[in-house]
Amino acid sequence: MSTRQQKLILILLLSFASAAFASFSALVVITPENEARHSFSVQVNGVAGLGERSRVRVIGDVGGGQRVWLIICKTPVDSSRQQFRDVLWSHAENHDIERYIQLFPEQTTESESGERSNPYVEVELSNEQMRRAYIYIDYPRPVDDGGYYYSIDLAYYLEGSLGKERSIEWESQ
């Protein structure tokens, strides 16, 4: 085998190896049933004096360069349509989305101990908006090996007939 053929084989092997190594990325739709497995806690409380509004706090470490967005759609979208990367990465038009804004995690310090709490994001929404709103955690641009990215479907956290059934758990790779 010639040196040129050896180099060609080496280049081909390296290109296949890097493509196989850096290919893991999966959307996880967070619901009350699986939030703890993915190190998130979603707390929903009514806003005093405003019975139709809720304050949503999502506690969890967003690391590795990921960002957090609130995405409000025109109508509720099912789990298979909660992958919003095309909008965030290339500003492509998505007819499901009414609006989206980036959220910036906050962190509090416990006054007595001086320890820092887990980071969190907090939003206040009407119950009607919660039925079609998603806290979306992903990278702001493509990465080689992104791991999990998340959509927290807030409709699962509404009480009673306003919310989605809580027995559904959805993870895809």
Side-chain angles (χ1 to χ4, degrees):
M1 186 179 318
S2 73
T3 306
R4 183 175 179 182
Q5 288 173 325
Q6 289 175 341
K7 287 180 182 178
L8 180 60
I9 290 172
L10 179 63
I11 290 170
L12 287 172
L13 287 174
L14 288 174
S15 67
F16 289 130
S18 70
F21 178 75
S23 64
F24 171 71
S25 188
L27 172 67
V28 177
V29 175
I30 299 292
T31 67
E33 283 76 23
N34 69 358
E35 69 182 41
R37 280 185 293 190
H38 294 282
S39 302
F40 290 104
S41 172
V42 180
Q43 301 170 351
V44 178
N45 296 302
V47 177
L50 300 172
E52 297 296 315
R53 294 192 69 78
S54 295
R55 183 169 290 115
V56 179
R57 180 179 278 198
V58 177
I59 302 168
D61 192 16
V62 178
Q66 288 184 321
R67 304 288 186 268
V68 182
W69 290 268
L70 170 66
I71 297 178
I72 300 177
C73 291
K74 294 174 184 171
T75 60
V77 297
D78 63 32
S79 297
S80 64
R81 293 183 17 228
Q82 291 180 30
Q83 200 277 73
F84 300 113
R85 285 183 156 182
D86 56 337
V87 174
L88 301 174
W89 287 359
S90 63
H91 304 288
E93 189 171 342
N94 181 321
H95 297 286
D96 291 327
I97 296 176
E98 182 177 292
R99 68 179 179 266
Y100 64 95
I101 60 168
Q102 186 173 352
L103 303 174
F104 297 94
E106 298 182 35
Q107 198 166 24
T108 59
T109 303
E110 301 296 325
S111 59
E112 293 176 14
S113 66
E115 290 183 35
R116 298 196 73 135
S117 66
N118 287 327
Y120 67 91
V121 293
E122 191 170 85
V123 295
E124 186 178 305
L125 300 166
S126 71
N127 291 342
E128 189 276 327
Q129 287 174 318
M130 278 187 62
R131 293 184 67 235
R132 53 193 176 90
Y134 311 88
I135 302 290
Y136 193 74
I137 303 165
D138 199 353
Y139 294 93
R141 63 189 150 286
V143 295
D144 283 338
D145 188 10
Y148 291 117
Y149 56 104
Y150 306 92
S151 177
I152 301 173
D153 190 335
L154 297 181
Y156 284 109
Y157 295 89
L158 280 169
E159 294 296 324
S161 63
L162 290 174
K164 287 183 179 179
E165 285 186 38
R166 294 182 176 204
S167 62
I168 297 173
E169 198 174 315
W170 190 85
E171 295 187 27
S172 171
Q173 292 191 16

